[in-house]
Amino acid sequence: MSVLAIVRRPQPLATALRGDRAPTAFVAVIPVLAASIPWALAEAWWVEFGVTAVLLIAAGAALVDSSTHRIPDRIVLWSLVPTAIVIAAPAIGGDGPTAVPGVVFGAIGFALPLLAVHLAAPSALGFGDVKLAVSLGAALGLVDWRMSVAALCLASGLTAAVALVRRRSSLPFAPGLVVGAALVLLLPTLEGSLPWR
């Protein structure tokens, strides 16, 4: 259903989410969230650039996952590049070795629970989701590794809520992972209410 059709004939949210293009609409929110990140974060510009770039590349993975139910390794590899640049480019103000522990803990915090689910039930969660979570968690680790845990909770809750509304037993998880990561980066605007602030 096109956006024009929804505007002409308003539908309840639950009905719109049940449509075949709901995952694509879900992914369309990601660039808007990513564009808000430099405004929301109080970080150095290179960190904001790196995190935003990772989210935009990961949005491409989420779009592919929403239509094919698989995440190409090529996109996951590209999503690692901005984080690597922030770490490895001290000439532009990169944090270098001091950022590595946060990046590692962020990747572990986001991906390890998903790896456990994948190993326990491979049909329930693909390994592509685990790899994408490594990339997203590493990017979150540039800001604060604890964000990765909150992002995983948000991603799981959002995906479960959409699955419930759409009455589906399974959904692509990549859109939820990326939206969860983007939302947790926007939450620091709530000054003083979060553990990493």
Side-chain angles (χ1 to χ4, degrees), residues 108-190:
I108 290 170
F110 209 171
L112 190 60
L114 298 181
L115 178 60
V117 172
H118 171 72
L119 293 175
S123 61
L125 185 75
F127 194 56
D129 295 312
V130 179
K131 291 182 282 189
L132 186 63
V134 168
S135 175
L136 289 167
L140 292 173
L142 291 171
V143 180
D144 192 308
W145 70 268
R146 292 171 292 180
M147 288 182 158
S148 63
V149 178
L152 181 57
C153 293
L154 276 171
S156 302
L158 285 169
T159 305
V162 172
L164 186 65
V165 169
R166 297 186 67 203
R167 297 178 185 169
R168 298 277 178 92
S169 59
S170 65
L171 276 181
F173 197 31
L177 290 173
V178 183
V179 171
L183 286 176
V184 86
L185 285 162
L186 295 175
L187 287 176
T189 54
L190 306 172

Side-chain angles (χ1 to χ4, degrees), residues 2-59:
S2 70
V3 174
L4 189 58
I6 292 173
V7 170
R8 284 184 182 157
R9 188 165 41 101
Q11 298 175 316
L13 177 61
T15 305
L17 284 174
R18 284 191 204 114
D20 291 338
R21 297 186 183 175
T24 306
F26 196 45
V27 172
V29 173
I30 297 169
V32 176
L33 294 175
S36 303
I37 286 167
W39 165 79
L41 288 181
E43 299 292 329
W45 69 266
W46 55 87
V47 173
E48 294 171 352
F49 168 79
V51 171
T52 303
V54 170
L55 283 174
L56 291 173
I57 295 168

